[in-house]
Amino acid sequence: MVHWSAEEKQLITSVWAKVNVEECGAEALARLLIVYPWTQRFFSDFGNLSSPTAIIGNPKVRAHGKKVLTSFGEAIKNLDNLKGTYSKLSELHCDKLHVDPENFRLLGDILVIVLAAHFTKDFTPACQATWQKLVGLVAHALARKYH
Amino acid sequence: MLTAEDKKLIQQIWGKLGGAEEEVGADALNRMFHSYPPTKTYFPHFDLSPGSDQVRGHGKKVVAALSNAIKNMDNLSQALSELSNLHAYNLRVDPPCFSLQFLSQCLQVSLATRLGKEYTPEVHSAVDKFMSAVASVLAEKYR
């Protein structure tokens, strides 16, 4: 059972309240495909991913990024039950999508960097530590049903 | 592999820090200790409280090494050769990819908090590749 202090919960919810899920999701997913180009293997039907500009402007990337981050929002509403929240998605990523769980960790780290660039000095070390903990746990929950 | 464009972006972004490099070093280390407590095990002899002079001093060293690496990106192996020996034989930060990955993440967060929008996806990619290359060189002599 994961323990969240009151301070950690506050750092998560206060940051999340200011996040534009569509923009942030699009940005995070685009960066994943740009910084770690091998992740493009999961999105072969997304059309033009030939350059950073193409990726950033790609409507399928934007839409999917929004989907991914919306799901993250669900986790934030259910911090005490991440495993339950991600159970079905975990099965999906293993059985249908065949995504190596290492990629969840990569996306989590990228999300933290996107938040850092957005919030600049407000993204304090304490804030970062809480969010690194969250993305780590989400990645873990997504990997849990793999077999 | 670092392209010519990557190298240009890195030099540009490092140039934008305008003297704040040392702060970035200390900030990156603080963030690393905060987000990844096991990394503190390599510094039992340090005062790791916020504002610690030892952390500032060490951050300065780390950044100086990175600045030197950035000036010698065409020959990282040679530029970091002594540090590579140090990390392999004395410090034995283990496993090399693992802990240096945390420093890379925290350095990038530190840069992103200072540069905001200027930490574009292209810059992000270049810095990530660079830190990966640095980590590889530092790990070269482990075994």
Side-chain angles (χ1 to χ4, degrees):
Chain A
M1 187 48 192
V2 179
H3 174 73
W4 295 101
S5 71
E7 193 202 345
E8 285 173 329
K9 289 186 177 181
Q10 214 272 325
L11 284 169
I12 293 171
T13 52
S14 63
V15 165
W16 194 248
K18 298 180 201 135
V19 164
N20 176 324
V21 170
E22 183 168 350
E23 287 301 324
C24 189
E27 169 113 30
L29 187 63
R31 284 180 186 246
L32 181 73
L33 299 171
I34 293 167
V35 179
Y36 306 114
W38 54 88
T39 57
Q40 291 171 26
R41 71 189 284 270
F42 302 112
F43 302 99
S44 49
D45 61 338
F46 267 31
N48 187 3
L49 297 177
S50 59
S51 70
T53 313
I55 291 171
I56 292 165
N58 185 314
K60 285 191 174 176
V61 171
R62 289 192 73 85
H64 196 71
K66 180 181 174 183
K67 211 185 198 179
V68 168
L69 213 63
T70 302
S71 150
F72 214 83
E74 281 308 298
I76 291 176
K77 290 197 203 112
N78 293 285
L79 288 174
D80 295 325
N81 185 19
L82 291 175
K83 288 179 196 156
T85 306
Y86 281 108
S87 179
K88 286 259 166 334
L89 272 176
S90 181
E91 284 170 9
L92 179 77
H93 282 75
C94 171
D95 299 330
K96 296 263 156 44
L97 306 176
H98 311 294
V99 177
D100 181 344
E102 172 64 11
N103 293 290
F104 308 144
R105 197 190 54 76
L106 292 179
L107 183 59
D109 276 354
I110 285 191
L111 177 61
V112 169
I113 290 177
V114 167
L115 293 175
H118 187 78
F119 290 99
T120 61
K121 59 185 176 349
D122 289 338
F123 201 66
T124 60
C127 204
Q128 180 189 354
T130 303
W131 277 83
Q132 296 284 177
K133 176 177 171 179
L134 176 60
V135 302
L137 288 168
V138 167
H140 186 74
L142 273 170
R144 208 162 162 270
K145 289 297 180 72
Y146 272 60
H147 58 94
Chain B
M1 233 178 51
L2 286 166
T3 63
E5 181 65 21
D6 288 330
K7 293 178 187 178
K8 206 175 82 180
L9 283 173
I10 291 163
Q11 278 158 348
Q12 266 174 12
I13 217 70
W14 206 248
K16 284 205 165 114
L17 293 176
E21 292 90 345
E22 284 172 27
E23 262 175 59
V24 167
D27 185 40
L29 286 176
N30 273 320
R31 285 176 183 275
M32 189 180 76
F33 296 138
H34 216 129
S35 285
Y36 309 105
T39 55
K40 295 194 282 190
T41 59
Y42 293 101
F43 300 90
H45 52 302
F46 266 31
D47 161 21
L48 296 178
S49 53
S52 147
D53 281 335
Q54 285 177 307
V55 173
R56 281 201 81 81
H58 197 71
K60 193 172 163 178
K61 264 190 196 164
V62 168
V63 154
L66 287 174
S67 295
N68 183 41
I70 289 172
K71 290 198 195 93
N72 295 282
M73 273 190 286
D74 292 328
N75 195 355
L76 277 181
S77 235
Q78 194 168 52
L80 294 170
S81 168
E82 271 184 50
L83 272 179
S84 179
N85 285 333
L86 184 71
H87 281 75
Y89 304 126
N90 292 52
L91 304 177
R92 290 176 288 196
V93 174
D94 174 6
C97 339
F98 209 55
S99 297
L100 291 171
Q101 213 167 56
F102 295 148
L103 180 61
S104 171
Q105 172 73 358
C106 292
L107 179 72
Q108 292 199 57
V109 166
S110 186
L111 290 172
T113 57
R114 270 166 183 74
L115 299 167
K117 282 198 291 293
E118 287 182 307
Y119 204 70
T120 62
E122 290 87 337
V123 169
H124 179 165
S125 179
V127 173
D128 196 275
K129 281 160 83 172
F130 171 69
M131 288 304 288
S132 218
V134 167
S136 276
V137 168
L138 288 181
E140 253 168 23
K141 295 170 188 155
Y142 267 70
R143 54 178 172 167

